[in-house]
Amino acid sequence: MDPFVEYLKELCPHRSETQIQEVYALIQEERPEDSPEQKLENAFNMLSTQPDFNTPGYSMVEESLQNTSNYDSDDEGAVGGYDLKVVDVNSIWKKLQDALPEADPSYLRKKAENLAMQDENSMMEFLNAAVENNDYPTMEEYLKKQEEEKTLNFYKNNFIIDKFLEQFPNPETHFSNPNRPNPLLQPELLPEDLEYALTFLYNNYRKIRKRHVELVFKLKNKCLLASCNHLDHLPNGMKVERPLEPNPESRNLPLLQEVAYLKHRKLIRKVMKYKNQTYQEFKEEARILGLLETCGICGEDELIPEECFNCKKGCMFCRECIQKYVEVRMGDGLTNFPCCNECDSDFDVHVLQMVLPNNTFERLMLKIQSEEVKRANVDGLETCPFCEFASIPPQESKIFKCENPDCLKESCRLCRHKSHIPKRCNEIEYDEDVKRRTFIENMMTEALARTCYMCNKKFIKSNGCNKMICNCGAMMCYLCSQAITGYNHFGDDKACQLFTNDAQIDLQRVKANIEKAKLELGDVEIKFDPSEGIEGFFTTI
């Protein structure tokens, strides 16, 4: 059965399944171009507003067809002559993004589609709950997921040999290394990962019977590389190839990397052979012409011109040495790169771009640009509290949006904390506020508790006299905490009375500990003071 019909049955339990199917079929026929959400909303409106159709001979379809000419999805018109409210999902999505700027946009999109079919109060209820509980997926998680999807998709569908060789310069050595963990023997292995590996073998050796493939895979202890090396030398057991099987879904990155290598191994070997042959030819030609260079750091003396990079005065270095040198200085927070030979020159930005990986160079340029903007002392310039990115935000905006791709956080321009819209700054409790509040709360609790002098067990008196007997058998006075032997400790002529107003005694002890806690904290703001109204609490006991 159509899931929409099932959903409508839940929404309209007072309607029969026949009536629901008639209405839904009508809308499918009359407005096929509408989105599924519009169709569902229109069907619900018809089913919830139409009169009772249980009278003999009444057809909901016939009644509705009399008014289909009035139907227009762009107006608050009509299906069957009944008003329909057209809701723009995009506008709701935009409002959710404005209110929750650090939320996952795809999550908010799904919420917007759901809220478009509910009343207006539902959105405010959702936003209030989201801000209060802070339990929604974040933009940071969304970006990480996008990056992860991009990486996984590279090995599945968008494989490029040159990019693969940048990551694995010698893939045969890497994947045949006996110390490399086998992704198919890890404890976190999922059933679909094992299925993905077997499907690859089935499709790669389509003339070898499946049971033989599985046997080799088992004998090689689920090692894909060893299995392929063995299957490459097995004779075909079938004259006709098996049809290709669809690949199951897998998100196991080490497995996808190994499968991608094995799938393109022959071509990768050819490319590596061609590149090595070309390099040797260039090197021999450079030797004959006397063009080989020497690195000024590591001393490598057979570098072809394409392997050399120089400072502005011509000092030569190899790529690996400059890259390590730049990354060390970046780690120290520096953005200037004088020549490694101390020739009072430095490296040009274009040289840095050629030797550094793209993400490292982008991070460096962002840092350089931020420092240049800060030095310019521009009016209205602000910096991200979580990184070094600087920009001039719109004057009317209360939010600073960081454009650093490694950060992308949104912060409050007033309190310099993570964005807390729609709440005000004084309504947000930060880590330091929580520590202060809980310290005072713990001191207040400590004031109410007593500790047994014999077993050190803490207890609180709920009612009764001031003679306390611990589970360990020790007796003590609730007022002065001294060890006692009986009732002779109490009396009208003595310091401790047998019966007292516990609320007033506890209040005085709690207030004393509150004062002590605040003295220890010093002159700091206590945004949410748990001691406020404490007298009223004890008077109601």
Side-chain angles (χ1 to χ4, degrees):
M1 181 180 291
D2 193 306
F4 274 23
V5 173
E6 286 290 335
Y7 190 42
L8 286 168
K9 285 174 64 179
E10 294 179 12
L11 293 175
C12 306
H14 60 293
R15 299 299 184 192
S16 68
E17 184 176 329
T18 303
Q19 292 172 351
I20 292 172
Q21 288 178 340
E22 284 182 349
V23 168
Y24 191 63
L26 167 68
I27 292 176
Q28 289 275 53
E29 180 182 349
E30 293 295 324
R31 303 294 296 186
E33 70 277 7
D34 282 353
S35 67
E37 291 80 12
Q38 287 175 314
K39 292 177 181 177
L40 186 59
E41 183 177 3
N42 295 338
F44 173 71
N45 280 329
M46 287 183 64
L47 290 164
S48 59
T49 58
Q50 292 275 16
D52 189 8
F53 299 100
N54 292 324
T55 54
Y58 188 94
S59 170
M60 179 182 287
V61 174
E62 291 174 3
E63 175 67 20
S64 302
L65 283 174
Q66 294 174 9
N67 298 293
T68 53
S69 59
N70 296 327
Y71 182 98
D72 188 345
S73 63
D74 295 330
D75 301 320
E76 288 190 358
V79 174
Y82 292 89
D83 289 343
L84 293 178
K85 182 180 178 183
V86 179
V87 181
D88 182 6
V89 175
N90 289 330
S91 66
I92 297 178
W93 187 30
K94 179 66 167 59
K95 289 177 183 177
L96 295 181
Q97 286 180 301
D98 290 341
L100 302 171
E102 292 204 357
D104 179 343
S106 61
Y107 165 77
L108 294 182
R109 177 70 190 187
K110 291 179 181 177
K111 276 293 177 185
E113 292 172 355
N114 187 23
L115 290 170
M117 302 176 64
Q118 301 179 33
D119 58 56
E120 295 177 0
N121 292 331
S122 298
M123 183 168 71
M124 288 309 301
E125 290 173 3
F126 164 71
L127 288 176
N128 289 334
V131 172
E132 185 71 26
N133 302 324
N134 198 28
D135 56 356
Y136 50 82
T138 64
M139 173 68 80
E140 186 177 356
E141 293 169 350
Y142 169 76
L143 293 174
K144 285 182 179 179
K145 187 177 179 181
Q146 291 291 99
E147 190 61 32
E148 181 185 351
E149 288 295 336
K150 183 179 177 182
T151 302
L152 296 176
N153 202 41
F154 169 78
Y155 293 105
K156 290 180 181 180
N157 307 311
N158 301 324
F159 188 80
I160 301 173
I161 290 179
D162 286 340
K163 285 184 67 175
F164 180 78
L165 290 175
E166 287 177 10
Q167 186 174 2
F168 301 101
N170 195 338
E172 187 72 30
T173 302
H174 173 81
F175 290 106
S176 61
N177 184 352
N179 296 323
R180 172 180 173 266
N182 184 346
L184 296 174
L185 295 179
Q186 301 309 304
E188 64 272 15
L189 182 73
L190 299 175
E192 52 264 33
D193 296 333
L194 187 61
E195 187 181 352
Y196 185 89
L198 279 170
T199 303
F200 160 71
L201 292 177
Y202 295 153
N203 289 339
N204 214 43
Y205 301 96
R206 291 159 62 192
K207 286 191 174 182
I208 298 178
R209 298 188 184 280
K210 280 188 176 183
R211 64 175 181 273
H212 295 160
V213 171
E214 293 166 2
L215 179 61
V216 170
F217 185 61
K218 185 177 180 181
L219 290 173
K220 297 301 179 181
N221 197 25
K222 299 181 181 178
C223 175
L224 276 178
L225 180 62
S227 298
C228 288
N229 289 340
H230 188 94
L231 291 169
D232 285 340
H233 297 91
L234 274 186
N236 293 332
M238 302 165 60
K239 292 183 179 180
V240 180
E241 290 183 340
R242 281 191 309 274
L244 285 171
E245 296 188 13
N247 285 320
E249 187 61 34
S250 174
R251 304 181 65 83
N252 188 321
L253 183 59
L255 173 62
L256 295 176
Q257 290 171 336
E258 185 173 7
V259 168
Y261 166 65
L262 293 171
K263 192 181 293 185
H264 303 92
R265 179 162 55 166
K266 291 181 180 179
L267 188 55
I268 290 172
R269 285 173 174 171
K270 288 181 181 179
V271 170
M272 292 180 65
K273 181 179 179 181
Y274 170 77
K275 286 188 173 186
N276 183 59
Q277 184 178 342
T278 304
Y279 173 76
Q280 294 301 330
E281 290 174 358
F282 283 169
K283 194 169 188 176
E284 186 59 34
E285 186 176 350
R287 183 181 288 109
I288 293 171
L289 298 174
L291 298 177
L292 293 178
E293 299 284 355
T294 301
C295 174
I297 297 178
C298 67
E300 172 63 46
D301 58 359
E302 287 198 340
L303 299 172
I304 62 175
E306 288 81 0
E307 293 177 302
C308 299
F309 302 89
N310 55 278
C311 72
K312 291 176 181 176
K313 286 194 174 180
C315 300
M316 289 291 181
F317 307 95
C318 68
R319 177 192 297 270
E320 289 75 14
C321 288
I322 297 181
Q323 183 175 334
K324 289 177 183 177
Y325 165 72
V326 171
E327 288 176 346
V328 168
R329 287 186 68 84
M330 284 179 64
D332 293 336
L334 303 172
T335 55
N336 63 318
F337 305 96
C339 176
C340 306
N341 282 349
E342 300 181 355
C343 71
D344 74 15
S345 181
D346 58 5
F347 291 101
D348 190 86
V349 172
H350 298 296
V351 172
L352 300 178
Q353 186 175 12
M354 286 188 285
V355 300
L356 293 174
N358 288 337
N359 58 343
T360 305
F361 180 73
E362 288 172 2
R363 195 166 65 249
L364 172 62
M365 290 307 299
L366 182 63
K367 194 170 184 179
I368 291 174
Q369 290 166 4
S370 297
E371 290 189 356
E372 289 176 350
V373 172
K374 290 177 190 176
R375 285 195 295 268
N377 198 22
V378 181
D379 289 340
L381 181 70
E382 295 185 22
T383 58
C384 173
F386 305 106
C387 71
E388 298 180 351
F389 178 79
S391 70
I392 303 175
Q395 189 173 359
E396 68 278 3
S397 176
K398 295 180 181 179
I399 299 298
F400 183 91
K401 297 183 178 182
C402 181
E403 296 179 16
N404 177 356
D406 292 332
C407 180
L408 295 176
K409 289 184 171 63
E410 297 192 354
S411 55
C412 174
R413 293 174 62 190
L414 298 176
C415 65
R416 304 276 295 167
H417 283 88
K418 185 178 176 182
S419 173
H420 48 70
I421 288 179
K423 289 188 176 181
R424 297 185 179 91
C425 298
N426 60 4
E427 296 177 323
I428 303 300
E429 194 174 31
Y430 301 111
D431 290 345
E432 58 269 27
D433 299 315
V434 174
K435 289 177 182 177
R436 294 167 189 166
R437 174 176 56 78
T438 53
F439 177 70
I440 296 174
E441 288 174 345
N442 290 337
M443 291 289 283
M444 292 168 65
T445 303
E446 187 178 318
L448 295 173
R450 306 293 192 272
T451 303
C452 175
Y453 65 87
M454 185 176 292
C455 66
N456 293 322
K457 182 178 179 181
K458 289 185 180 295
F459 60 89
I460 295 176
K461 173 187 170 186
S462 58
N463 53 52
C465 68
N466 291 323
K467 174 192 170 188
M468 311 303 297
I469 302 177
C470 181
N471 290 336
C472 69
M475 284 191 293
M476 62 182 286
C477 174
Y478 182 74
L479 299 177
C480 64
S481 298
Q482 290 183 6
I484 60 176
T485 56
Y487 290 104
N488 56 357
H489 175 78
F490 306 98
D492 294 337
D493 57 341
K494 297 181 181 179
C496 299
Q497 304 297 311
L498 184 60
F499 291 95
T500 53
N501 187 334
D502 293 341
Q504 288 303 313
I505 292 173
D506 289 341
L507 175 60
Q508 295 307 315
R509 288 173 62 95
V510 169
K511 289 175 74 173
N513 267 26
I514 289 171
E515 186 176 351
K516 181 180 176 183
K518 289 184 177 180
L519 284 173
E520 286 189 37
L521 289 172
D523 187 17
V524 296
E525 179 191 6
I526 301 172
K527 189 176 290 185
F528 297 95
D529 190 346
S531 66
E532 289 184 1
I534 192 67
E535 291 87 354
F537 172 77
F538 280 96
T539 56
T540 59
I541 295 178

